[in-house]
Amino acid sequence: MWPNLNVILRFILVASFYCAPTSSSATENSVNRIKENIPSPPTWSRLGRAPPNHLVTLRIALRQSLSNSLLLEQILYNVSNPGSPLYGRHLSKEEAESILKPQEDAITAVDNWLSSSGIRESSIKPGPSRAWLMVTIPIDTAEILLNTTYYTWCHSSSNDTIVRTTTYSLPVEVFHHVDFVQPTTIFARWNGLGSATHLPIAVREFAQTGSSSITSGSGTVTDTGCNATLTLSCIRQLYNITDYTTLGKSGSKIGVTGYLDYYANRADLLLFLQDQRPEALDATYQFISVNGGKDSQNVSQAGGEADLDIQISMGLTYPMPNIFYSTAGSPPSIPSLHTPTDANEPYAEWLDYMLSQSELPATITTSYSDDEDTVPIAYAKHICAGFALLGARGASLIFSSGDGGVGDGDDNPTTQQCKANDGRNASRFIPTFPPSCPYVTAVGGTTQIPEVASYFSGGGFSNYFDRPSYQESSVSSYVDRLQPILYQGLYNPHGRGVPDVSAQSTNFRAFYQGQAARGMGTSVAAPIFASIVALLNDGRLARGLPPLGFLNPVLYTKGLPGLTDITSGNNPGCGTQGFNATYGWDPVTGLGTPNFGKLKQIFSP
Ligand SMILES: *[C@@H]1O[C@H](CO)[C@@H](O)[C@H](O)[C@H]1NC(C)=O
Ligand SMILES: *[C@@H]1O[C@H](CO)[C@@H](O)[C@H](O)[C@H]1NC(C)=O
Ligand SMILES: *[C@@H]1O[C@H](CO)[C@@H](O)[C@H](O)[C@H]1NC(C)=O
Ligand SMILES: *[C@@H]1O[C@H](CO)[C@@H](O)[C@H](O)[C@H]1NC(C)=O
Ligand SMILES: *[C@@H]1O[C@H](CO)[C@@H](O)[C@H](O)[C@H]1NC(C)=O
Ligand SMILES: *[C@@H]1O[C@H](CO)[C@@H](O)[C@H](O)[C@H]1NC(C)=O
Ligand SMILES: *[C@@H]1O[C@H](CO)[C@@H](O)[C@H](O)[C@H]1NC(C)=O
Ligand SMILES: *[C@@H]1O[C@H](CO)[C@@H](O)[C@H](O)[C@H]1NC(C)=O
C-alpha cells in the first residue's frame, strides 16, 4: 500500500520545488456568475498551477428546495421527540431518499450543462437520490467548466498539498440550481481527535481493586486507581453499567468510523481484551471498506485513533456486533499522479455509502472533525442534512467535540487559526464540524474522579447553524449569564451550542502497536458515550421498542435525570480562558456525563 521510494522522492522534489509561492492574476468573469470567492486561507500557501491532467472528482450539489429542508427537519424532530405521536416511526431508505430529491428542472439544467460542455456520461456518477452528481475529469476540463484556475496549495505546518481554487463561476442557466461544486474552495483538514502514547513496557498500571474507593459526582463508587488510569472496569463503575448484560441478539449494532488510513488492529484488540475483558476473547468486528478503504493488519500501521475507538466500543458492548468502517481519501495528495485522490472530505463518501444501505447500525461513533470555518457553509449544510436523514432513519450519530478547547489546539499565536476566514482577520473562536451540525450528538471530555472538564474539551457555538429548538432554554440560560462584554464578537450567541454531553477523555489504558498505551482526547469520550447508547438501544430493541435514533431532543428533556452535571473546569484557547463548566448546560461538558442505570430506567424500563 505504500508508494515506492521513487514516487516518494519524486513527490518530495515536486513539493519542495512548488513550496515557493508564485503569483498570478485573479480572473474576472462577465458571462458566468461567480458562485464563490474566498480570501486566501491563512495557513496555506499557493504554489504553481495544478497539473492540467490531474484528475479531480467534482461533487456538484443540486439545490434543495427550502421546503424540503424544513420538511426534513420537521420529520426528524417528529420521529425523535418523545412528545410527538410520530416518535420512533423512523423512515425507510426509500422514504428518506424521496425527501431530498432535487427538482426535475435542476436535474435537467445540470445535465444539459454537462453534456453541452462535452462531459461524457461515463465520467458522471449520480450520488444518493441525485442530491449530488460526481464528475471525474482532468483539471484542465474542470477549469473550463467552472471558468477558474486551480492551483496546488501547501499547508504551512504539515506540508500537505492539495489542489484547490479560491473562486469559481457557473453559467446563469445552472447558477440557481446548484448549491456548490467541490473540491474548489474547501480547505478543511479532517483530523483524528485522540492520541495514543506508549506506556513504558515494564509499567503495568491497573485500577486498584479493593478497599479504597472514590464517590463520584453521580454517587457511584469507583476504585481509587481509576483516577490515574481509566479502564473498562472504571468506566462501568463510574457510569453505572455494572449490572447490565447484553445478549448481543437484540439487533442493536454499533458502527465505528475510521479515516485517514488509521487502521484498527486485531492483534492490539486481542491484547486489550486479554488485559481488560478476558471473557470477550472471541470478539470480532465486521470490517466494511468504503470508497476503497483498506484494512492493513501490519501492526506497525495500526492507527492510534482507530485502536482506541474500536477497543472502547468492543470492550463496553461485547457481545454486541461491532462494525468498523474504513473510509479512504485523505491528504497529502500527490497532484502529479493521475488519480483522483484529492477529492472531498472523506465523510461525504461515508455518508453516500450509508445513505445507500437499507440497514443501518442503531449507533455510530466518529472521532474525527474539521474546523468549522474551513468547511464552506453550503457544503456543511448539505452534509448536515445527510446526517439528519440518517437520524430520521433511526441512527444515533455521536461525534467527539474536538480537542482544542474554544480554539484549534494550537498555542502558537502566529499559526493558530482563531480568526474568521473572511479576510478581515477578526479574532474568532473555532467550533468544529460535524459536531456543530445540530442533528448530531457532540461529546466533550472530562477527567478525574469526581469528574471535572478536560481543559481541551472542544466547545462553543456554531457560526453556521442557529441554535436548535431543543437547546433553546438550556443554552440561552447559559448565554444570558455570560458577561455581555466578555468574548464579544468571539462567538455567535445565537449559534448551536457544542457539546451536548461529555464523558471521560484522559488516561485510558489502550493497546497500540503491540504495547500498552495511554489514550487521550474527546476520541475516548465519544466511543464511551456511544457504547452506552448502544446498550440502551439493545435494551429497547430486545423489548420490541424502536431505537433511540437522533438523541438530542430526548437528552435535553426526558434524559436529563440520567446525566450527571459537571460543574468545574474550563476550556482555554485563542489566548483566553475559554468557557466555564457550570450548573446546567455549558459549552465545555454539555449537559454532563451518562449514568447508564438511570438512563436505562428512563428509556428502556
Ligand atoms: C471566463 O472568465 C473570463 C474572464 O476571466 C471571461 O472573459 C470569460 O467570458 C468567462 N467565460 C465564460 C464562459 O463566462
Ligand atoms: C410533525 O408533527 C406535527 C404535530 O404532530 C404535525 O402537525 C406535522 O404535520 C408533522 N410533520 C411531518 C412532516 O410529519
Ligand atoms: C515542511 O517543509 C519545510 C521546508 O521544506 C521543513 O523545514 C519542515 O520540516 C517540513 N515540515 C514537515 C511537518 O514535514
Ligand atoms: C484525582 O487526581 C487529581 C490529579 O490528577 C487530584 O487532584 C485529585 O485529588 C484526585 N482525586 C482523588 C479522589 O484522589
Ligand atoms: C509493516 O509496516 C511497516 C511500516 O509501514 C513496514 O516498514 C513493513 O515493511 C511492513 N511489514 C510488512 C510485512 O508488510
Ligand atoms: C490579514 O492578515 C494577512 C496576513 O497576516 C495580511 O496580509 C492582510 O493584509 C490582513 N488583512 C486585513 C484586512 O487586515
Ligand atoms: C469563569 O470563571 C472565572 C472564575 O470564577 C471568572 O473569572 C470568569 O469570568 C469566568 N469565565 C466565563 C467565560 O464565564
Ligand atoms: C445505578 O442504576 C440503578 C438502576 O439500574 C439505579 O437504581 C441506581 O440509583 C444508580 N446508581 C446511582 C449511584 O446513580
Side-chain angles (χ1 to χ4, degrees), residues 545-562:
L545 296 169
L548 288 166
F550 175 47
L551 293 167
N552 297 0
V554 296
L555 290 177
Y556 284 80
T557 51
K558 230 179 133 184
L560 273 182

Side-chain angles (χ1 to χ4, degrees), residues 27-32 147:
T27 51
E28 194 57 35
N29 189 340
S30 51
V31 178
N32 293 356
N147 202 22

Side-chain angles (χ1 to χ4, degrees), residues 361-448:
T363 315
I364 302 169
T365 182
T366 299
S367 293
Y368 300 76
S369 72
D370 282 328
D371 291 343
E372 187 188 65
D373 67 319
T374 64
V375 182
I377 187 165
Y379 190 85
K381 293 209 157 160
H382 219 80
I383 295 285
C384 186
F387 291 139
L389 276 185
L390 291 183
R393 289 185 52 192
S396 303
L397 303 184
I398 289 149
F399 283 81
S400 310
S401 72
D403 290 348
V406 294
D408 65 352
D410 185 347
D411 294 330
N412 180 341
T414 58
T415 52
Q416 73 180 2
Q417 292 186 40
C418 293
K419 290 203 189 320
N421 195 13
D422 60 2
R424 290 188 293 118
N425 296 349
S427 294
R428 200 90 172 145
F429 289 157
I430 306 289
T432 56
F433 179 82
S436 70
C437 165
Y439 310 135
V440 306
T441 300
V443 187
T446 61
T447 182
Q448 295 173 22

Side-chain angles (χ1 to χ4, degrees), residues 1-2 258-263 293-294 296 301-303 306 326-331 368:
M1 69 142 284
W2 290 94
Y259 294 97
L260 302 176
D261 298 335
Y262 287 130
Y263 304 118
K294 297 201 183 81
S296 167
Q301 289 172 7
S326 173
T327 304
S330 68
Y368 300 76

